[in-house]
Amino acid sequence: MLKINEHYLKLQASYLFSDIAKRVAAFQQANPDKHIIRLGIGDVTKALPAACISAFHKAVDEMAVDSSFRGYGPEQGYAFLRETIAKNDFQARGAEISADEIFISDGAKCDTGNIQELFSTDARVAIPDPVYPVYLDTNVMAGRTGVFAEGRYQGLVYLDSTAENKYVPALPSEPVDLIYLCFPNNPTGSTISKAELKTWVDYAKANKALILFDAAYEAFIRDESLPHSIYEIEGAREVAIEFRSYSKSAGFTGTRCAYTVIPKECAAYDSAGNKQLIHPLWNRRHCTKFNGVSYPVQRAAEAVYSEEGKAQCKALISGYLENADLIAAAVRELGYDYVGAANAPYVWIRCGRDSWEFFDLLLNKAGVVCTPGAGFGKCGQGYIRLSAFNSRENVVTALERIKAALA
Ligand code: PLP
């Protein structure tokens, strides 16, 4: 008799987006003429930058000719892309990362989800609350938690991100081995300073812990004092893995390209207490379970770093950030506390009542879809998230409707 991995049975069904979809469908059925504006899901709405499209086309044409055709590529990614990333995203910022420490992949979701299989099942895991749910669910699947009770999985250390700590969690009061951090943050849009990030790096060093730093939204940073990479912090090479993605920075959500950085010094320990380097183990995993990102997609990603590509991505991001500014201004005008928008495409709003109640209010009275904060964790109760990923026209209309609904 084949037994199931019972840890999967502990998973809470992902009610969040299916619940949202159900409520939106019911509203649309009852109001067939109403144009619903979605400021909920964090998917981009604007086309790929022209530089990426032309590199993409050119690479597809290369695949049509025997002499330039490419079959299986290096699983870690082509050198042309890894070298460009090392130079532009790290060395240009004074972070010493080399091309062979970069692993190209098809998504930060997959990488942040898969990385945990390198670590022991009894690793003590610290996870922010509210959180991007992938970190949580993949640890549940791996058996690092007990059951779900009173809104939380037993056995995890939750890092509360609240108004009191300005949505940057404090160091854990009990020992942990694996720490998930995400800045600029999804869902709160909050950011971390270099000094605050240094306390986490120092903690990880002192406790032989490892930080998994998700920088999927670094391209939205406007405040130049903020770190784009954890490797801007001294000592981070030994204790941090970083995840990046072209999904939000260059509109690649449907094209798929991302990367993970594992410095050569980065280590965990075996049961005898011996240091084991993570880089060769991830390399082994990547080569065993992943075929690499397609050649045309890697050429399209490389074009992000051309002069035109840089300018086009900047314009793309500025457009979303201007939407975020408009949302923040409207929320301020309405008198709600919020965080985010300044360096992120999300605005996290303290709505002063149940998240779902506020969701229903915005849907029914304004025809606007938000994301109820409670879906991101216990600390998200009483909040909603508005996303800046939409057209200017839709954002402006949505805000007019929200103002009228809440007036
Ligand atoms: N990390 C965070 C914090 C995200 O919010 C998202 C997507 O919403 C991802 C990672 C996923 O990135 P990708 O599209 O590269 O899988």
Side-chain angles (χ1 to χ4, degrees):
M1 182 176 66
L2 175 65
K3 289 199 179 146
I4 205 80
N5 173 357
E6 290 198 10
H7 301 305
Y8 272 66
L9 307 180
K10 295 178 204 160
L11 287 167
Q12 298 303 294
S14 181
Y15 290 126
L16 180 62
F17 290 107
S18 61
D19 261 15
I20 292 176
K22 268 189 227 150
R23 292 182 195 217
V24 173
F27 175 79
Q28 189 76 86
Q29 204 173 11
N31 304 275
D33 300 330
K34 185 81 180 173
H35 168 228
I36 296 174
I37 302 177
R38 291 162 204 276
L39 298 184
I41 295 179
D43 194 3
V44 294
T45 54
K46 290 206 179 294
L48 289 177
C52 298
I53 288 292
S54 79
F56 212 168
H57 276 298
K58 187 165 167 275
V60 170
D61 288 341
E62 284 178 52
M63 298 299 260
V65 182
D66 286 351
S67 59
S68 53
F69 164 82
R70 312 249 182 161
Y72 286 122
E75 288 92 345
Q76 303 87 344
Y78 285 102
F80 63 76
L81 180 55
R82 300 170 88 196
E83 279 160 14
T84 304
I85 291 170
K87 197 166 120 223
N88 286 276
D89 284 347
F90 298 99
Q91 291 158 12
R93 299 201 152 269
E96 275 316 308
I97 293 297
S98 59
D100 60 356
E101 294 174 318
I102 292 162
F103 294 84
I104 310 299
S105 80
D106 59 348
K109 180 189 201 173
C110 326
D111 288 351
T112 54
N114 289 328
I115 194 79
Q116 50 74 34
E117 71 178 63
L118 260 49
F119 310 112
S120 70
T121 31
D122 61 358
R124 297 163 297 184
V125 183
I127 291 197
D129 180 356
V131 73
Y132 173 59
V134 173
Y135 319 149
L136 190 61
D137 288 356
T138 51
N139 276 289
V140 175
M141 291 169 178
R144 285 194 194 87
T145 73
V147 295
F148 189 78
E150 292 170 26
R152 288 187 159 178
Y153 288 99
Q154 292 169 348
L156 287 178
V157 174
Y158 284 89
L159 303 171
D160 291 358
S161 307
T162 60
E164 285 65 44
N165 56 29
K166 297 200 167 63
Y167 307 93
V168 177
L171 295 176
S173 49
E174 53 195 298
V176 297
D177 306 308
L178 195 59
I179 300 157
Y180 289 81
L181 293 178
C182 171
F183 290 104
N185 187 263
N186 176 17
T188 68
S190 64
T191 52
I192 193 164
S193 69
K194 284 184 183 165
E196 286 163 333
L197 193 50
K198 173 91 167 54
T199 65
W200 284 96
V201 169
D202 292 345
Y203 173 92
K205 281 180 108 167
N207 293 277
K208 293 186 171 166
L210 182 78
I211 299 170
L212 301 176
F213 190 73
D214 187 340
Y217 296 97
E218 66 70 42
F220 292 81
I221 292 175
R222 285 188 276 198
D223 176 348
E224 273 311 309
S225 72
L226 297 173
H228 284 246
S229 165
I230 195 166
Y231 306 116
E232 291 174 46
I233 310 300
E234 198 196 327
R237 282 183 56 88
E238 291 155 52
V239 292
I241 289 175
E242 182 165 306
F243 305 92
R244 295 273 189 108
S245 171
Y246 298 100
S247 283
K248 311 298 162 80
S249 60
F252 272 55
T253 51
T255 305
R256 310 305 320 146
C257 196
Y259 66 87
T260 289
V261 186
I262 308 194
K264 303 258 178 62
E265 294 92 316
C266 217
Y269 298 82
D270 63 22
S271 48
N274 300 314
K275 210 175 198 181
Q276 297 292 342
L277 297 176
I278 296 172
H279 186 281
L281 300 182
W282 183 250
N283 189 50
R284 186 74 167 83
R285 187 210 175 273
H286 214 62
C287 294
T288 303
K289 296 193 179 184
F290 185 61
N291 267 320
V293 172
S294 79
Y295 172 70
V297 168
Q298 292 193 58
R299 282 294 186 198
E302 182 193 25
V304 162
Y305 301 97
S306 65
E307 282 315 306
E308 316 84 77
K310 280 180 188 168
Q312 290 158 5
C313 289
K314 200 168 169 212
L316 201 65
I317 290 162
S318 298
Y320 291 130
L321 283 170
E322 284 161 20
N323 287 347
D325 289 340
L326 292 176
I327 297 171
V331 170
R332 260 197 315 274
E333 200 183 312
L334 287 164
Y336 290 90
D337 284 340
Y338 73 93
V339 64
N343 299 284
Y346 299 121
V347 188
W348 185 244
I349 303 159
R350 182 134 69 152
C351 53
R353 69 193 92 175
D354 178 81
S355 297
W356 280 106
E357 192 187 314
F358 203 72
F359 170 90
D360 285 334
L361 180 92
L362 291 190
L363 178 61
N364 294 315
K365 286 184 106 185
V368 173
V369 182
C370 67
T371 313
F376 296 104
K378 213 172 173 175
C379 292
Q381 181 50 274
Y383 289 82
I384 58 145
R385 186 191 74 178
L386 286 180
S387 152
F389 293 123
N390 213 314
S391 66
R392 180 65 39 82
E393 193 191 350
N394 276 345
V395 168
V396 169
T397 310
L399 295 175
E400 280 166 6
R401 290 199 207 157
I402 291 175
K403 282 187 207 166
L406 298 178

